[in-house]
Every structure is written in structure tokens, then in C-alpha cells.
Amino acid sequence: MRLLVVEDDQALLSVIVTVLKEEGYEVDKADDGEEGFLLAKQEIYDALVLDIMLPGMTGLEMVRKLRKDQSNVKVIFLTAKDSVEDRVNGLDAGANDYLVKPFAMPELLARLRVILRDHEANISGFISYGNLKVDPTRHLAWANGEPLNLTVKEFQLLEYFIRNKEQILIRDQIFNRVWGFASDVGVGVVDVYVHHLRKKLGPYGCDQCIKTVRGIGFMLKDETNNVS
């Protein structure tokens, strides 16, 4: 799962990011609200961990804008504002949980597990589209019922396409979800891996399902079968 942490206290930000990575999460970070919002609205995150009092744009403003744009991303607020009114405002803005500073990291991890529990249930088991099928838990994939020999990134790419079937995905969006902002490779790697994935799907007649949207990115769409 990929998380975004937005916190302007650099020491606390570093600790949170380090602990979350040790727990196995993919983590991106920002230290002001405007940057955090630009990242969050790309819709590549499973959950956001946000301070409320941020420079540029408050956490409350961020979440209100995301909810207005129909984003369903999970949100935990971290804040020193601990009155009942503050908690109510945070939850009314669209947060899923509210943790008051100072807090213990085990509690933050536990609260993340809770808000992500339904999401984890949704991503376990098989997902499919047309003749393509993946098992996210075991990192297995099939085309026309035949197993595919995919690298880690090829698998993540195929899974991301299936989860966002028939939606146009821009290159930056794909790159940030599969490789992450901290990757030392360029966004051009997306085209390279799409090419690799198409070659592996070719023998099963599934390569044409990955459509190139010129100048924008890619879309998984099977026009030969009535699928959804």
C-alpha cells in the first residue's frame, strides 16, 4: 500500500516515514499543504496521514477539496488541536480518524490498520478483467487461464491497469504509483514496461487490451469482448 504523509515538523515527518516504511508501506512525503494536495489529488494513495496546521493549505482545506472531487482516500489527521470541536470539524471535513499529538507510533499504526482493513479485504483475492486475472496476495497473474511470468514491476503495472480498467491513466500517475516519487529512474520507464508487458501478453492475444492514449498515457480496454 502507498501512503502520503504531510507534516511540517521535519523531525516528526522523518520518524513517521521511517516507521511506516519499516512496516512495509510505500511512503511519499510533503511538508506543506499545497504540495501535499498536488500529490494527493493524483489518486495514487491508499491513505493520507495529515497534519492540520500546515503552511500553504491546511489539512482541513486539503480534505474538503479532495472530498469535493469525490476522492475516497482514507485520511488520518495528526494534530495538537484536541478540543471536541476540533475533532468534530476534522471528521466533518471528511477524515476517517483523528489522532492528537503527542501520540505513540504503535497507536498510529493500529489506527492505519483499522481504516485500511476494508481496503485490504477488497484487494485480497482475485481481480480480473476480460481474459486477464491477478492474485494480489500471491503476486500471480494469468492470461486466458495460462500463468504469466512477470517481473515485480510488470505485475504491479498489470494490477494497476486492472484496478483502473477502462480509465485513462496518465504516465506520471502510473509512474508515481508503481515506481514512486523517490525513484531514480525517469517517467519514460512507464513506456518501457508497457512494451515489456504487451510482449508477454501477446501470445495470449491480450496485448491489444493496453491502449496508448496519444500524448497522455494508457488505458486497459478490451474492445473484443463485452466486459466491464
Side-chain angles (χ1 to χ4, degrees):
M1 290 191 181
R2 184 170 292 276
L3 309 180
L4 172 65
V5 182
V6 188
E7 168 63 61
D8 62 338
D9 182 327
Q10 293 294 330
L12 180 58
L13 177 61
S14 178
V15 169
I16 294 173
V17 170
T18 298
V19 172
L20 291 177
K21 287 184 175 179
E22 289 174 348
E23 290 295 312
Y25 295 106
E26 298 288 335
V27 186
D28 294 318
K29 62 182 179 179
D31 57 10
D32 70 77
E34 291 183 352
E35 180 187 5
F37 178 70
L38 290 175
L39 296 176
K41 72 177 185 178
Q42 294 188 57
E43 298 185 0
I44 63 172
Y45 298 104
D46 300 297
L48 312 178
V49 179
L50 307 178
D51 189 9
I52 288 184
M53 302 305 295
L54 292 165
M57 181 188 300
T58 69
L60 290 174
E61 292 172 323
M62 284 179 59
V63 174
R64 289 189 182 114
K65 287 186 176 184
L66 290 169
R67 297 308 188 216
K68 185 177 180 181
D69 292 339
Q70 307 301 312
S71 172
N72 293 318
V73 66
K74 303 296 185 180
V75 176
I76 292 182
F77 276 137
L78 303 179
T79 179
K81 299 168 70 66
D82 61 355
S83 72
V84 172
E85 182 181 2
D86 291 327
R87 293 171 187 260
V88 170
N89 288 339
L91 296 172
D92 282 347
N96 301 92
D97 204 349
Y98 192 108
L99 188 56
V100 176
K101 299 176 181 177
F103 58 88
M105 285 304 304
E107 183 177 5
L108 173 59
L109 295 173
R111 288 173 181 257
L112 270 172
R113 288 193 294 271
V114 169
I115 68 170
L116 290 171
R117 189 170 293 153
D118 290 341
H119 181 68
E120 288 174 339
N122 289 336
I123 67 171
S124 62
F126 299 105
I127 60 172
S128 62
Y129 176 75
N131 294 319
L132 299 172
K133 180 179 178 180
V134 300
D135 179 348
T137 304
R138 296 186 294 162
H139 280 226
L140 300 175
W142 298 265
N144 286 335
E146 297 296 326
L148 293 169
N149 182 21
L150 303 180
T151 67
V152 171
K153 293 303 181 187
E154 289 167 352
F155 178 87
Q156 291 174 345
L157 184 60
L158 179 59
E159 180 187 357
Y160 191 51
F161 276 136
I162 293 176
R163 291 194 184 282
N164 296 276
K165 56 185 180 294
E166 299 186 5
Q167 297 182 44
I168 296 175
L169 301 172
I170 64 174
R171 285 177 173 82
D172 285 347
Q173 187 179 11
I174 298 169
F175 176 79
N176 293 335
R177 175 67 192 200
V178 177
W179 282 269
F181 294 96
S183 175
D184 57 1
V185 298
V187 71
V189 73
V190 172
D191 293 76
V192 174
Y193 272 79
V194 167
H195 174 71
H196 291 333
L197 184 56
R198 280 174 172 156
K199 285 185 66 175
K200 291 187 176 181
L201 296 177
Y204 310 100
C206 298
D207 53 317
Q208 296 302 311
C209 293
I210 304 177
K211 311 293 184 184
T212 299
V213 183
R214 192 173 301 277
I216 301 176
F218 301 94
M219 176 173 60
L220 182 67
K221 184 173 177 61
D222 187 348
E223 296 177 344
T224 63
N225 297 295
N226 184 20
V227 296
S228 60

